[in-house]
Each structure stands twice: as structure tokens, then as C-alpha cells.
Amino acid sequence: MNAVVNVDDHRDMSLNSPLLNVSDLQVRYGNYHAVKGVNFHVARGETLALVGESGCGKSTTAMAIMRLLGGRAELTGRVDFDGLDLSGISDPQMRNLRGNDISMVFQDPMTSLNPVLSIGEQIGEVLRRHRGLSRKDARAESLTLLRKVRIPNAEARLDDYAHNLSGGQRQRVMIAIAVACKPRLLIADEPTTALDVTVQAHILQLLKELSEEYAMGLLLITHDLGVVGQWADRVAVMYDGLIVESGSTEAIFTRPQHPYTQGLLGASLRLDSDSHYASASLPEINVRRSESGAIQFELHSYPRASSLPERAAKADLSPILEVRHLCTEYKTRQGLVRAVNDVSFKIQPGETLGLVGESGCGKSTLSKTILGLIRASNGQILLNGTDIAPLSEKQLRAYRPLVQMVFQDPYGSLNPKHSVYRILDGVLKNHGIKQAQQRSQRILDIIARVGLPLSAVWKYPHEFSGGQRQRVGIARALILRPSLVILDEAVSSLDVSVRAQILNLLADLKEEFGLSYLFISHDLSVVKYMADRVLVMHDGQIVEEGAHEGIWKNARHDYTRKLIGSVPVPRYRVNDDESVPYTHSAWQDLPVAMLLSRFAI
């Protein structure tokens, strides 16, 4: 592993002592060394971003600061909060600090909020415990806090429960609880993951304003470099339990020294970048361990022969999917709600159509209606010229192999009790492929195609990483050889480098199998890279449509401009003269027959 790099050692820290100072923090769980000697500090009123991918130790570090790891964890090192050694105080003293002087906002507010207590009761509990307020005063202060975090109709929301709120509103409630006692340090662990771009912008702006208002130190834990580049003052990059590089945001983004930092920046997508899947793959980070045990990082990418002229020629062909005046309605206590309202569009053979919009706009309802999982109340769904909207479930079975879906959460969509082989074999059996040898051949073929080792067929979903599970989900979608694949937020929860791998895989498979994609995402930078055309959806309607080259620069609709304006864009750019070397993965050149010959079932 390369030595820790600090790219702004010239920074003068003598102006004031840090609010939080972490020195040689180490966390072990038995033989597993999760955090391996971490050092960083946070000043008053400063935002430090702790950046890294899943499993690097970010959340463990945060939980160690809060002393929430439990009895199995073995901690060494020192955590000083405003000169107080947190490891040397009693549990009651630490409980008094938590929520009062140090607070934390967790990633998933739905699992952090109590489902059986109202929002007002949960905020009031903190105020009564730490500030000694009466129930009446705590309720009044809870209302003030909800208004401060800009909850709409705050007075009515006091008596609502967590399930009554949207994801963004639940996160605002978590922030209200965290800042109720005006803490001096706030730890925000992935506070905007999976939130819409506009909600994300509001949450981050709110955190910044509260930090400035209370002179509060903010430790922002994230893997989103766009967020870091726009909102953080300093950055610490973490890998495998170590801080490998730290410095000011400007220094990290313009002069990254460590190869891993360079790799993260190279694999990140930006809305102000002109990169597109048709011209080049995204750089991927390769991690290698030498014989001496040292970890080496390499970036690799490869150019693609642009197929845009061929795709333009296919525009004259009949569309693979044409949706005409589609409407989908739900029955509620208040009456009918039209989730999809008079939507029309086409997808040409070999085209990727991007669909963007905020949660609740109707994107997922539209995709489920196309698949026949929800019945359309009106309109047509023409698949290769046949209207499948009025077909019965039995009649739809003949068309299901033509349209498949990759879901956002592969862990939740894969049967945890079945091996990969059994999952894929079941799909083939259900669609009439009776010969066991033929099924085995197709399973091994698609596993090789999605870049998994052939031994993966005997594993279960819990034995894979998030990126590997998503490859299994892609294999399940492609094993029936569809013409159209719907990707519903398929990369939204993945780390930067894993996301790059999956997007490259999708682009390669698209060209290899002649696929068309309906690519649904709230991440506009991902859609800009992957889509040939883009639809913008709002309140159940398509409000704008355009080619990927133009819609981002010449948006016509106010809502589209609002979405684009909410995307976090780093204030700094990596020096343009630093190029990424192109290499090619050797496995891609191996014929599938050779791979299959080495693995017999």
C-alpha cells in the first residue's frame, strides 16, 4: 500500500485547535482488522468529507467515534472531542454527549426512526432528555425544528408517523432530531444516498446552513464525489481501513496524488463531462496485491467503435416498443390517482432511452405497466407491433422473454435460498426449455458473458458483493435473450468503481446482443453517459424529450432545468493533461467454448 499522502501539509492549523481529533484509531473484530490506524481532524464550522467505497471502514470509524460498536469490537487509539478523550469517559457521560454535543444522521432514516412513535414524540424525546423541556415546550420546539428543516405543513406532520413521509422528509426529520440540541459535531453517514437529485440538494444545503449557524463541525461520509466536490472543505480518502490521502477539496480534485484517489475521480461521472458509452468505456480500478503484500492500483479503459451512425440508420426501422397515450390509475381512499398520464414514446432497435424524474413521478409505475405487472387503464403498449396491453396473464407469457427487467436491489430480488444455478435454471424451465444440457450450456454462457467466474453458479446471493449480485441480476434478465431490457435504478446504490464496471458491462452486452434499454434513473450524470435519447417525467407525464447531446445544454422545460441545476458539480476539475492509460481485459478475448470446456457440470 502506498504511504498516506497529504496534499496540503502547508495548511496553517495554529489558528484554532480542532474540534475533533482522531489519532491512530484501530478497530478489530477478532482477527478482522476493520480500521488500521486512522488519523484526521475536524475544525469548528468545517465540513470534512470521509470518502471511500463500501467496506473501507468509513461507517465503522463513525460508529467508533460515537462509541456505538458494541462489545465485540476492540478499539485502540485516541478520539479527542474538544480536548476530551472519549475513550476515557464512562458510558453515562458518553450517553450525555451523544445527541447533546455530538449527533449522527444515519443513511436509512426509515430503519432509524421508530415506526410506532409519532414524529413529534421522537423529536420531543431528545429535547426532554437532553434539554429538560416539558412536553408542551418540547412539542413547540419540535414544530420549530420541523420548520427549520423545511418540512411542508410542519404542524400536521408532528402527529404523523415515519411511513407517512417521503424519503426526503424522513431524512429531514432525522436531521431535526440530530440538531435539536445544537450539537458542536454532526456526523452524517451517507445522508443523501438514493435520494432524488433535488431532495439531495436541499438536504446538503440544509446541513451546510446548520453548520454555519451553529459553528458546527460536520463529518460527511459519502462515496459520491460530486457531493464532495461541491460541499466539502477538506477530504480524507479511505481504502481498506486506512486514510490513503487527505487534503483540501481543491487539492484532492485538481492534484490527486494517490492512485486510488485518481481511480475514484477517473471512474466518476459528471454532468459537465462529454463522455458517452458509444465512444469509450469508463475507467475501472484494478486492485492487485504483489508478492510482498503491497497493494497496487491500476486504471484501465478501452475505446469503443462508435455505433451512433448505425443507430441513426435503425431509426427508420419499426420501433421495438411503442407506447401510445398510456394511462395507469390507482384506487385510493380519496379516489382514483393517475400515476401515468397520457404517456407516449418509442424505443428503436439498439437504442438506449433514458427516463429521469423524481420519486413519485411515475417512472416505476410506467415500467411495471409495460411489463404487464400493473394493468393499464387506457392506451396501447405495442411490442414489435402487437398491442400487449389488453392481453391476459396467460397470453402475456409468450411475450415475457422479449422484455426483461433488472431491479435496483439485486439482494431483494434474488431468492436467498437458491443458488445462482437454480435461479437461472428455474427461469429457463418456466419458459419451456426442457433439455437439462441445453439449460446448463446457456447458464454457463451467460455467467461468462456477465464477467463472473463459472464457479459462481454454485454460490448463493449472500456470498456475493453488491456489484456481483447485480451481475447475477443482469444474467437472469439476459438468459431468455430478450430484445428490450428495463433497468430500474440498476446502479443507484453501487459504489463509484463498481458502478463503472456495471455500466461498461451493460454497454458491452448491448452491442454484443443487439439489446435496447429503457434506462430509469434519478442520477442525471449516469443517464447522460448511457442514453441515446432522454425522457423527463414529472407528475405522471413526459414533459420533455431530447437527444443526449442537446437536452442537458438546451433544456426547454422549467422542471428539466430544475433537475439539472440540482445536480452537485465539483467546484474543481482534475488537470486535463493527466491521461488514463488504456488496456484491455484478457478474458474478453477468450472464446466462450474455451471457458465452458474448463467447467463441466
Side-chain angles (χ1 to χ4, degrees):
M1 174 84 64
N2 298 57
V4 179
V5 179
N6 193 314
V7 292
D8 63 347
D9 282 330
H10 63 277
R11 178 183 170 95
D12 183 9
M13 293 304 300
S14 63
L15 295 178
N16 54 5
S17 59
L19 175 67
L20 176 72
N21 193 38
V22 177
S23 305
D24 193 30
L25 178 65
Q26 303 195 43
V27 180
R28 291 179 182 271
Y29 296 95
N31 293 327
Y32 177 59
H33 205 171
V35 178
K36 304 174 180 177
V38 163
N39 299 276
F40 63 86
H41 63 268
V42 182
R44 294 167 179 81
E46 177 187 52
T47 298
L48 172 69
L50 186 58
V51 178
E53 298 177 286
S54 297
C56 72
K58 305 187 305 294
S59 294
T60 300
T61 299
M63 299 292 274
I65 294 169
M66 298 288 288
R67 280 180 46 179
L68 292 173
L69 288 177
R72 290 195 312 113
E74 178 187 343
L75 276 71
T76 59
R78 187 179 175 99
V79 178
D80 286 319
F81 174 69
D82 205 12
L84 176 65
D85 181 7
L86 297 186
S87 63
I89 64 177
S90 65
D91 288 341
Q93 287 174 308
M94 189 65 206
R95 281 196 296 271
N96 191 54
L97 277 176
R98 282 197 296 260
N100 201 20
D101 294 283
I102 308 174
S103 284
M104 189 165 179
V105 178
F106 297 92
Q107 178 173 348
D108 184 4
M110 191 62 185
T111 58
S112 302
L113 293 171
N114 192 322
V116 299
L117 293 181
S118 70
I119 298 305
E121 287 174 311
Q122 294 187 65
I123 302 175
E125 182 181 11
V126 176
L127 295 168
R128 295 195 304 273
R129 165 69 175 81
H130 289 288
R131 291 174 55 180
L133 300 186
S134 65
R135 285 189 173 273
K136 180 179 179 181
D137 289 342
R139 182 176 176 85
E141 182 64 16
S142 297
L143 178 59
T144 301
L145 285 164
L146 287 183
R147 287 170 176 164
K148 182 178 284 291
V149 298
R150 303 190 191 95
I151 291 284
N153 196 13
E155 190 165 4
R157 291 302 192 189
L158 278 174
D159 297 314
D160 278 341
Y161 294 83
H163 68 271
N164 299 126
L165 307 181
S166 68
Q169 289 172 336
R170 285 194 291 266
Q171 195 62 287
R172 288 170 189 264
V173 170
M174 284 296 300
I175 294 171
I177 293 172
V179 301
C181 299
K182 300 181 181 179
R184 289 178 285 164
L185 174 68
L186 179 65
I187 301 173
D189 189 2
E190 299 281 7
T192 60
T193 297
L195 293 181
D196 294 325
V197 63
T198 51
V199 178
Q200 174 183 259
H202 292 156
I203 294 295
L204 292 168
Q205 180 64 42
L206 174 62
L207 288 173
K208 193 67 174 178
E209 290 174 0
L210 292 170
S211 175
E212 294 172 354
E213 180 179 350
Y214 299 151
M216 179 176 67
L218 177 60
L219 177 58
L220 178 63
I221 299 173
T222 183
H223 64 259
D224 189 329
L225 293 180
V227 167
V228 172
Q230 183 169 354
W231 297 99
D233 301 308
R234 288 189 304 112
V235 183
V237 182
M238 197 167 186
Y239 178 81
D240 193 29
L242 289 167
I243 302 253
V244 297
E245 184 166 4
S246 65
S248 68
T249 304
E250 179 182 7
I252 292 293
F253 273 77
T254 60
R255 301 182 301 280
Q257 302 297 307
H258 197 279
Y260 180 67
T261 310
Q262 295 168 359
L264 285 180
L265 291 168
S268 296
L269 287 165
R270 297 173 53 133
L271 195 59
D272 58 349
S273 170
D274 293 327
S275 61
H276 192 258
Y277 81 93
S279 57
S281 71
L282 291 170
E284 297 179 17
I285 304 174
N286 277 346
V287 181
R288 301 182 185 277
R289 192 177 294 273
S290 66
E291 294 182 1
S292 64
I295 296 178
Q296 300 173 336
F297 300 88
E298 296 177 357
L299 283 181
H300 81 93
S301 182
Y302 49 93
R304 285 195 186 93
S306 176
S307 60
L308 288 179
E310 297 176 20
R311 196 169 295 109
K314 290 182 180 180
D316 295 332
L317 300 177
S318 299
I320 186 169
L321 177 73
E322 184 174 3
V323 173
R324 296 177 180 172
H325 306 293
L326 189 67
C327 298
T328 306
E329 295 176 335
Y330 289 109
K331 289 183 179 179
T332 68
R333 292 179 180 179
Q334 290 74 33
L336 286 177
V337 174
R338 182 162 286 187
V340 177
N341 187 9
D342 195 24
V343 167
S344 300
F345 63 88
K346 300 178 182 179
I347 301 179
Q348 297 298 134
E351 180 182 42
T352 297
L353 180 66
L355 179 61
V356 301
E358 296 174 288
S359 296
C361 71
K363 303 190 303 294
S364 293
T365 300
L366 174 61
S367 67
K368 291 174 183 176
T369 305
I370 293 171
L371 286 167
L373 302 177
I374 299 175
R375 283 289 175 184
S377 55
N378 198 11
Q380 295 179 299
I381 305 170
L382 302 176
L383 184 61
N384 289 331
T386 301
D387 185 9
I388 63 173
L391 299 184
S392 66
E393 178 61 34
K394 184 176 180 180
Q395 291 171 319
L396 273 174
R397 282 185 61 84
Y399 293 91
R400 292 211 180 280
L402 299 177
V403 185
Q404 289 292 298
M405 191 166 185
V406 178
F407 298 90
Q408 176 177 355
D409 179 12
Y411 194 75
S413 59
L414 297 173
N415 191 323
K417 296 183 178 180
H418 290 179
S419 67
V420 170
Y421 188 89
R422 187 175 175 185
I423 289 170
L424 299 180
D425 193 54
V427 173
L428 295 173
K429 281 182 179 178
N430 288 335
H431 287 277
I433 300 179
K434 298 179 180 179
Q435 294 185 356
Q437 185 176 3
Q438 184 182 1
R439 295 199 305 270
S440 295
Q441 182 78 10
R442 285 181 66 167
I443 290 169
L444 294 178
D445 179 68
I446 200 63
I447 285 295
R449 287 289 201 272
V450 300
L452 287 171
L454 299 183
S455 58
V457 297
W458 302 121
K459 293 184 177 181
Y460 291 79
H462 71 273
E463 298 181 86
F464 295 99
S465 68
Q468 289 171 328
R469 278 196 293 268
Q470 197 59 290
R471 289 175 186 265
V472 174
I474 293 169
R476 183 177 61 181
L478 296 186
I479 199 166
L480 292 174
R481 299 171 182 171
S483 301
L484 173 65
V485 178
I486 299 174
L487 299 139
D488 189 3
E489 300 283 5
V491 297
S492 66
S493 60
L494 299 179
D495 291 325
V496 170
S497 63
V498 177
R499 182 182 67 182
Q501 294 169 11
I502 297 299
L503 292 177
N504 285 340
L505 173 65
L506 290 171
D508 292 339
L509 293 173
K510 179 175 183 288
E511 296 301 315
E512 182 178 355
F513 293 110
L515 299 169
S516 299
Y517 289 148
L518 176 59
F519 194 94
I520 302 172
S521 180
H522 66 260
D523 190 328
L524 273 63
S525 60
V526 171
V527 173
K528 184 178 181 183
Y529 175 77
M530 283 297 294
D532 302 310
R533 285 189 303 118
V534 181
L535 303 178
V536 182
M537 196 168 188
H538 181 54
D539 284 343
Q541 296 181 307
I542 303 299
V543 297
E544 187 159 359
E545 176 181 354
H548 84 94
E549 303 98 330
I551 194 169
W552 313 110
K553 297 179 181 178
N554 301 303
R556 300 183 302 275
H557 198 278
D558 289 342
Y559 179 71
T560 309
R561 291 194 288 268
K562 174 189 171 185
L563 286 179
I564 294 172
S566 299
V567 175
V569 177
R571 295 164 287 174
Y572 314 104
R573 293 188 67 97
V574 178
N575 292 337
D576 293 331
D577 58 353
E578 294 183 16
S579 59
V580 176
Y582 289 142
T583 61
H584 191 69
S585 299
W587 72 268
Q588 296 177 4
D589 296 323
L590 291 175
V592 174
M594 183 182 297
L595 292 170
L596 295 175
S597 67
R598 298 184 181 183
F599 192 87
I601 291 184

